[in-house]
Amino acid sequence: MLDLINFYLIPGLVVGAIYTLGAIGISLIFSILRVAHLAHGDLMAIGAYFALSWVHLLGGPAYLALPAAMALTALVAIGVDRTCYRPLRRRRTVMVIIASFGVALMLRAALMLIWGPDTQVYQSGIQRPMVVAGLRLQEKHLFILGAAIVLVVLLHLFLTRTITGKAMRAVSDDPDLARVCGVRTERVILAMWITAGSLCAAAGVFLGVDTQLSPLMGFNMLLPMFAAAILGGIGKPYGAIVGGMVIGLAEELSTYPLFGEPLIEPTYKSAIAFTIMVLMLLWRPTGLFRGKVL
Amino acid sequence: MEATGLLLYGVAVLTMGGIYAILALGLNVQWGFTGLFNLGVAGFFAVGAYGSAIVTSPAAEGRLGGFDMPVAVGLVAGGAIAAAIAWPIGRLTLRLKADYLAIGTIGIAEILRLVLKNEQQVTGGAMGLSGVPRPFEDLARPYDELAFMALVAALVLAIYWALERARRAPWGRVLRAIRDNEGSAEAAGKDAMAFKLEAFVLGGAIMGIAGAVYAHYVKFIGPEAFEPLMSTFIVWVMLVAGGSGNNRGAILGAVLIWALWSATEVATSQLPVEWTTRAAYIRVFLIGLALQIILQRAPHGLLAETPPPPPRAPEVKDGAGAEDGVRGRPPA
């Protein structure tokens, strides 16, 4: 039982928190721009590598680099939107999806050019976990879960207490109505990229802290993050939290050796998110929280 | 010597360009004709390649296949297996909107890649399959390559001819109607789901044939040959650059982009070693940039789609119907 908690449940929660932060951004972009943002994974990797540069230049643990990485990634997201997505705004949204597919490869190519193709870590060496009543608690896991909760609370306050946040929700619910009510759509889109870009940078840094950094880390996150966003319901940031946790836990628990052998071969672990996503789209395309269907 | 080398280089570029042209034609059926957003091109390509390799390679220990069949059977098998995989995928995902279809097809390509990599007894796992026969191998040096290029060219032309027929036929017209306005196509009594499924399976089969040709060209295939995003992405760039919806544009875009791609590879291979790897990333970046520029500045590509003229109404007998406004040939 303790093994189940220590080696499957806690890592599942950590991975789920990382998926959540990425899925919130995907869900926001989906509901405001009405496109599936395929470059989200690679944007996340860029954020993780910004933090790596900070650690290389200034030293210290990776979480001190978090604010800078989030800010820089938000800037990259705004730059990408200005140059690649905004010129296509009046065209069919599917053109923006194709563009974001291209942006994904450009970001990854730039990443490999700047930081190299090899896997890297923020800090080498193994951290000894604290053992409290049989529970193995690793410092990095506590940091990731704690920081993720703080970020989600901040997002909640932003969306419910600020004018910009309310405008974002208004555009997401009904863009035309929001516009005739005087909501400036381009400002909302700017706020959306800042939110989505910084949250996905945080997800990237957390993933790097939890495991390691590699140029493909973002792409490998793309499917689970989309699965989480769709599971929670597009345009429902709180749904993304549930979606992220369900996907993360399902992935980790699926390899639990319940009957002596892993339920699913670990090599096929990445198929879980996809299966859940397809089943959800067939059974209830609005997601658990009654989001929208595009 | 120099001349033969140059000739062989040109032939190699055209052969691979032709294989990409087949892929782009397959994608054109799905995206250009019907508007189906398939980002799993690499998956169908890989399935076709493995299918043909298993059917045609000599028997081997420890894995399925090695049926030692002729190459022609392999090409058919590659297309058939890709179609057989496309059918259930289409049934599951085609009812979804473009955004979900994009994500779904990425996922399917990813799962196919996992299967190819892990199912040792079928696909040779990470070691891949070797000993795939190559037609015309017995001919002397430049002629074997030339003959293979001719085979690829013949396949491209045959598929082009068939697709042009399909495009001008009522079937192609329905696909365009679904692409432009699915609701009104359904209101006109067309079973949009069935047509979309047909287009998806046909496109998948063509991609499978491309994969089969590729397997026979390089004689060895492994899971690493199908880097999922890059091979899918380059086919998309080819189709968008050439002009989606236009079969000639698909072929032109494929050959042109591939020629550019390999020319820059030759150019950058002259650089010092530490720069060649970097140059590879710069090339990927530039091809992504090229896509952005095409999307913004030349959305129709090099050759814009030219919808075939509407069919003439059935011949009307003298006088009859003319005053009812039925369009017919003027009486002779």
Side-chain angles (χ1 to χ4, degrees):
Chain A
M1 192 58 206
L2 274 176
D3 272 2
L4 177 70
I5 295 174
N6 281 333
F7 298 110
Y8 297 91
L9 199 62
I10 293 178
L13 287 174
V14 170
V15 175
I18 295 170
Y19 291 161
T20 297
L21 293 175
I24 290 172
I26 284 177
S27 194
L28 277 175
I29 299 170
F30 225 141
S31 66
I32 290 177
L33 285 186
R34 322 260 147 184
V35 295
H37 187 228
L38 300 181
H40 215 69
D42 293 280
L43 195 61
M44 174 177 166
I46 292 276
Y49 276 85
F50 277 140
L52 182 73
S53 283
W54 174 289
V55 170
H56 280 175
L57 290 173
L58 303 173
Y63 45 83
L64 286 183
L66 192 58
M70 288 168 73
L72 284 171
T73 311
L75 281 179
V76 170
I78 294 169
V80 164
D81 180 63
R82 288 283 148 94
T83 52
C84 300
Y85 304 153
R86 195 161 73 173
L88 301 172
R89 207 88 92 206
R90 290 177 185 282
R91 305 257 296 279
R92 285 155 59 217
T93 52
V94 74
M95 294 300 154
V96 181
I97 309 177
I98 301 178
S100 77
F101 188 36
V103 167
L105 274 144
M106 289 167 74
L107 287 177
R108 195 182 316 157
L111 189 155
M112 299 220 272
L113 191 66
I114 299 170
W115 286 285
D118 305 318
T119 54
Q120 301 182 55
V121 289
Y122 290 125
Q123 261 174 327
S124 47
I126 298 170
Q127 289 178 332
R128 192 182 289 274
M130 301 179 278
V131 180
V132 181
L135 288 179
R136 294 158 54 91
L137 300 174
Q138 295 195 43
E139 200 186 316
K140 61 180 186 183
H141 287 166
L142 293 176
F143 155 66
I144 293 171
L145 288 174
I149 291 170
V150 170
L151 286 172
V152 167
V153 169
L154 285 178
L155 175 82
H156 170 75
L157 294 176
F158 171 65
L159 286 179
T160 52
R161 302 287 155 84
T162 65
I163 292 285
T164 317
K166 286 177 187 167
M168 268 165 85
R169 289 192 295 149
V171 174
S172 147
D173 283 343
D174 190 331
D176 296 328
L177 188 59
R179 196 175 309 116
V180 297
C181 290
V183 174
R184 280 192 269 175
T185 319
E186 280 299 321
R187 290 225 0 219
V188 166
I189 291 173
L190 190 71
M192 175 204 79
W193 282 116
I194 294 172
T195 316
S198 50
L199 286 180
C200 91
V205 174
F206 295 162
L207 183 66
V209 169
D210 190 30
T211 55
Q212 58 194 10
L213 297 111
S214 78
L216 274 178
M217 64 191 282
F219 174 67
N220 293 335
M221 291 283 123
L222 190 66
L223 268 184
M225 291 192 304
F226 264 100
I230 289 170
L231 190 62
I234 294 300
K236 300 281 165 185
Y238 310 109
I241 301 169
V242 176
M245 285 300 167
V246 169
I247 302 284
L249 287 172
E251 280 192 351
E252 293 299 324
L253 293 176
S254 68
T255 53
Y256 182 68
L258 189 61
F259 307 108
E261 280 175 51
L263 294 173
I264 289 175
E265 284 295 318
T267 43
Y268 286 114
K269 202 163 86 172
S270 51
I272 306 260
F274 177 74
T275 312
I276 296 176
M277 183 180 81
V278 169
L279 292 178
M280 197 65 196
L281 284 173
L282 295 177
W283 170 61
R284 187 162 157 170
T286 49
L288 293 171
F289 284 71
R290 293 254 175 252
K292 46 175 131 301
V293 188
L294 295 175
Chain B
M1 201 51 211
E2 189 64 5
T4 333
L6 218 56
L7 173 78
L8 283 177
Y9 174 71
V11 167
V13 168
L14 283 178
T15 307
M16 266 321 280
I19 293 172
Y20 274 111
I22 300 176
L23 275 174
L25 283 170
L27 185 62
N28 197 25
V29 176
Q30 297 178 341
W31 167 247
F33 291 8
T34 328
L36 305 174
F37 203 103
N38 181 5
L39 289 185
V41 177
F44 295 107
F45 184 69
V47 165
Y50 272 96
S52 187
I54 289 169
V55 169
T56 57
S57 61
E61 283 291 308
R63 66 167 171 85
L64 171 83
F67 295 110
D68 220 354
M69 303 283 248
V71 171
V73 178
L75 294 185
V76 174
I81 293 171
I85 288 199
W87 193 79
I89 293 173
R91 279 304 298 267
L92 272 178
T93 57
L94 285 182
R95 68 183 75 182
L96 309 174
K97 282 270 163 62
D99 305 65
Y100 299 129
L101 186 60
I103 300 295
T105 46
I106 288 183
I108 282 154
E110 191 60 18
I111 289 175
L112 285 176
R113 196 178 62 85
L114 288 178
V115 171
L116 294 179
K117 202 165 158 184
N118 294 316
E119 296 306 313
Q120 191 87 29
Q121 33 327 19
V122 183
T123 62
M127 307 215 297
L129 295 175
S130 53
V132 185
R134 178 168 174 180
F136 315 118
E137 223 174 354
D138 312 330
L139 297 176
R141 187 73 273 231
Y143 300 107
D144 57 344
E145 302 277 341
L146 281 169
F148 197 92
M149 183 183 76
L151 172 75
V152 173
L155 274 171
V156 171
L157 283 179
I159 293 171
Y160 166 77
W161 177 81
L163 289 185
E164 274 299 300
R165 288 290 302 260
R167 193 174 74 91
R168 289 163 190 280
W171 188 73
R173 223 160 37 236
V174 177
L175 296 188
R176 272 194 303 284
I178 292 171
R179 178 193 68 189
D180 294 339
N181 192 334
E182 187 168 339
S184 60
E186 289 213 309
K190 304 296 178 193
D191 183 353
M193 183 63 200
F195 278 97
K196 279 158 67 172
L197 191 58
E198 284 165 17
F200 192 71
V201 170
L202 177 65
I206 294 172
M207 291 169 191
I209 293 173
V213 178
Y214 175 76
H216 292 291
Y217 183 53
V218 298
K219 304 206 305 193
F220 164 80
I221 48 169
E224 301 315 312
F226 308 103
E227 214 268 300
L229 269 199
M230 195 54 212
S231 38
T232 298
F233 180 66
I234 202 164
V235 178
W236 268 92
V237 175
M238 286 164 174
L239 183 61
V240 173
S244 43
N246 188 322
N247 285 323
R248 263 183 253 179
I251 298 173
L252 178 71
V255 176
L256 211 63
I257 296 281
W258 182 250
L260 272 175
W261 182 251
S262 39
T264 52
E265 186 168 23
V266 173
T268 54
S269 68
Q270 309 297 323
L271 295 168
V273 181
E274 66 267 31
W275 276 100
T276 33
T277 45
R278 287 177 170 240
Y281 309 137
I282 295 178
R283 286 162 63 223
V284 174
F285 188 87
L286 288 180
I287 203 161
L289 191 65
L291 179 77
Q292 309 298 340
I293 294 169
I294 294 166
L295 283 177
Q296 290 179 23
R297 298 288 154 80
H300 298 294
L302 289 170
L303 300 177
E305 186 188 9
T306 47
R312 294 193 184 109
E315 197 142 343
V316 182
K317 287 201 188 88
D318 268 10
E323 49 278 89
D324 302 325
V326 174
R327 212 151 44 85
R329 263 183 214 171

